[in-house]
Amino acid sequence: MDVSSIQSLYGATPVTSNETKVDAEKGFQSMLNSVMSLLDDTNTQVQEAHREEVAFMLGETDNTHDLMVAEQKANIALQYTVAVRDRVLEAYQQIMQMQI
């Protein structure tokens, strides 16, 4: 799965070196708030996939297509969240290394 597919799933636009997604007035806190909303979205996708799994196992549905779509959405959301987490940790480490 490439980055452009993940970005299109979440409607994200790529960030270039000249562009920042964080409002300068709100700073690092606004980025953390957006990451927290991303975690909520990821959690929702994982829960939906789990509901589909349970329904399939209990025989309430035999639609494997919906099950696989929910599983794939949850997987992509989790991969995207992990990538964002890695970037946030990297940014935090760079901020902590700055000398004032």
Side-chain angles (χ1 to χ4, degrees), residues 9-90:
L9 176 68
Y10 281 98
T13 57
V15 177
T16 62
S17 60
N18 297 336
E19 176 185 8
T20 60
K21 293 190 86 160
V22 178
D23 184 12
E25 293 178 6
K26 295 180 183 174
F28 195 70
Q29 183 63 41
S30 68
M31 182 180 65
L32 291 177
N33 291 339
S34 66
V35 169
M36 293 306 290
S37 69
L38 174 65
L39 288 175
D40 292 337
D41 294 342
T42 301
N43 190 35
T44 302
Q45 293 291 334
V46 170
Q47 288 175 350
E48 178 62 32
H50 183 68
R51 278 193 292 274
E52 288 288 335
E53 286 175 7
V54 170
F56 185 76
M57 284 188 250
L58 292 175
E60 295 173 359
T61 182
D62 59 351
N63 190 348
T64 57
H65 176 73
D66 289 342
L67 174 63
M68 293 307 294
V69 167
E71 290 281 332
Q72 196 65 12
K73 281 183 178 181
N75 186 24
I76 291 170
L78 188 57
Q79 288 176 358
Y80 186 72
T81 302
V82 169
V84 170
R85 180 209 59 188
D86 292 343
R87 291 289 180 118
V88 169
L89 288 175
E90 181 182 326

